[in-house]
Amino acid sequence: MEQDQQEHEVELEQEQEEETHYLPINKLTECGIAAADLEKLKSAGYRTVESVAFTPKKNLLLIKGLSEAKADKIIGEACRLLPMGFTTATEIHTRRNNVLHVTTGAAELDKLLGGGIETGAITELFGEFRTGKSQLCHTLAVTCQLPISMQGGEGKCLYIDTEGTFRPERLLAIAERYGLSGEEVLENVACARAYNTDHQMNLLVEAAGMMTEARFALLIVDSATALYRTDFSGRGELSARQMHMARFLRNLQRLADEFGVAVVITNQVVAQVDGMAMFGGDNKKPIGGNIIAHASTTRLSLRKGRGPNRVCKVYDSPCLPESEAQFAIGAHGITDAEDG
């Protein structure tokens, strides 16, 4: 009887590994890593073998109770379990073909983005107020729960709200549009309000733990930069602000790499007071400088159109051409643009 139970547990573990794209950190116990050391790693936010292998050794040395010898052994065993070297472009191309895209709710916008919001990458939405950033986030929080056959992600959503703009009633209206149970949709969205930049960073540690326990398809941070504008002020704190923001964005990318989730962040804009405005150029630019520019895989610029219509422009992307598409904000979320 005990043997049957053990075989069943092994089968469940194998099925879980096939369904997920990551190795749970408990795998390291098979490599001789002490359970007590694994608990220290978990408490510091390292829940997968990938998270350990991808982090610099100096970060592990900050964990209380881990010596340099232990850190070397842990990283060595983690790297041994993962393919960390070169691979052929053919294999990468095959993986890219299997990347999921989550629908935005608007056909033209999906077409512009090559099928929707890409999973395993960071997509940045920036624009002035009332350009549809938060509305698009609310729509994605519902569409990520749709089956893959309906351009969904078949997963839950994590929503970090830094401005107090999260509204569950919007999710209910969007769920009605897709014929989903409102109660189930709300249960599948985990929302946390961030009150300062350190809290915002700590929420990612909690997020990593939640992603090892359930299937998540999307992580939203609305807005990723708002708290940095208030927590850091003046040129004297500019360097500290950029370093903190870089670490936050690196942790977001780590979650995207480990769990294959789509990461969507919103960003605010600031007016440029240089020569561009004098020559009729766009005098609005996203804040965060080069740090956020390099961290984001795809950058989308949103601006107001006529009536309920909005315009989305591909500002920067490694694979999408620079082009535009229109969409509308309706009672049921993001929809196709209205004529006229």
Side-chain angles (χ1 to χ4, degrees):
M1 190 75 177
E2 288 181 7
Q3 188 177 354
D4 291 342
Q5 189 174 353
Q6 287 175 352
E7 287 177 0
H8 180 63
E9 287 176 359
V10 170
E11 286 176 8
L12 285 176
E13 284 182 10
Q14 289 174 345
E15 286 177 11
Q16 188 178 14
E17 285 174 21
E18 288 172 4
E19 289 175 3
T20 58
H21 301 283
Y22 61 87
L23 289 175
I25 200 165
N26 289 337
K27 267 281 179 187
L28 291 174
T29 55
E30 300 171 13
C31 305
I33 306 300
D37 291 334
L38 291 186
E39 287 303 316
K40 292 169 187 172
L41 289 170
K42 287 179 184 177
S43 64
Y46 298 95
R47 301 297 182 116
T48 67
V49 175
E50 285 84 353
S51 64
V52 173
F54 297 163
T55 197
K57 185 172 78 171
K58 66 177 184 179
N59 288 5
L60 291 187
L61 293 175
L62 296 174
I63 301 172
K64 189 177 179 181
L66 283 189
S67 64
E68 188 166 355
K70 283 183 178 180
D72 284 332
K73 184 180 180 183
I74 290 169
I75 291 174
E77 294 298 337
C79 291
R80 195 172 59 80
L81 290 171
L82 300 171
M84 298 284 285
F86 289 98
T87 186
T88 65
T90 304
E91 290 179 39
I92 297 171
H93 181 61
T94 302
R95 286 203 298 266
R96 290 284 307 160
N97 286 336
N98 294 326
V99 168
L100 293 177
H101 289 80
V102 178
T103 180
T104 61
E108 284 300 310
L109 188 52
D110 284 347
K111 186 178 176 184
L112 175 74
L113 301 176
I117 299 296
E118 183 181 337
T119 55
I122 297 177
T123 301
E124 176 195 350
L125 313 172
F126 70 86
E128 294 181 89
F129 63 95
R130 289 186 64 244
T131 52
K133 301 187 297 294
S134 293
Q135 295 301 320
L136 182 50
C137 288
H138 280 75
T139 302
L140 289 168
V142 176
T143 59
C144 76
Q145 302 178 39
L146 293 171
I148 293 171
S149 59
M150 294 176 65
Q151 287 183 274
E154 287 188 6
K156 298 181 179 183
C157 171
L158 272 170
Y159 201 116
I160 297 176
D161 177 19
T162 67
E163 299 180 298
T165 54
F166 178 73
R167 295 292 181 270
E169 52 268 32
R170 290 293 291 146
L171 302 185
L172 292 174
I174 298 163
E176 185 182 339
R177 166 188 172 186
Y178 288 100
L180 299 174
S181 163
E183 189 176 328
E184 287 183 13
V185 164
L186 294 184
E187 281 295 320
N188 287 332
V189 178
C191 181
R193 177 75 190 273
Y195 294 99
N196 57 63
T197 49
D198 289 335
H199 184 210
Q200 184 173 312
M201 182 84 81
N202 291 336
L203 285 172
L204 295 189
V205 175
E206 191 176 338
M210 294 172 69
M211 287 181 186
T212 59
E213 296 168 1
R215 159 73 182 153
F216 282 85
L218 177 66
L219 169 59
I220 294 170
V221 187
D222 183 25
S223 130
T225 52
L227 295 175
Y228 285 95
R229 298 183 83 171
T230 53
D231 288 7
F232 299 89
S233 58
R235 289 189 177 275
E237 292 188 294
L238 181 60
S239 176
R241 184 187 86 164
Q242 294 301 86
M243 286 176 64
H244 196 291
M245 188 184 295
R247 286 196 301 272
F248 177 74
L249 293 167
R250 179 67 193 92
N251 287 345
L252 281 178
Q253 185 60 60
R254 199 183 81 187
L255 292 175
D257 292 337
E258 287 173 44
F259 301 101
V261 297
V263 176
V264 175
I265 62 174
T266 66
N267 192 6
Q268 300 175 344
V269 294
V270 66
Q272 292 187 98
V273 283
D274 57 15
M276 284 296 290
M278 293 174 60
F279 295 104
D282 187 6
N283 68 334
K284 301 286 191 305
K285 67 174 182 178
I287 68 169
N290 292 328
I291 296 291
I292 200 164
H294 290 304
S296 301
T297 312
T298 301
R299 309 188 81 191
L300 304 177
S301 170
L302 305 182
R303 67 177 190 271
K304 297 166 190 161
R306 289 189 175 184
N309 289 352
R310 303 291 186 269
V311 180
C312 175
K313 178 182 178 181
V314 176
Y315 189 80
D316 179 43
S317 170
C319 57
L320 300 174
E322 191 173 306
S323 188
E324 293 183 351
Q326 288 200 35
F327 64 93
I329 301 173
H332 295 93
I334 301 298
T335 59
D336 294 321
E338 297 182 8
D339 295 329

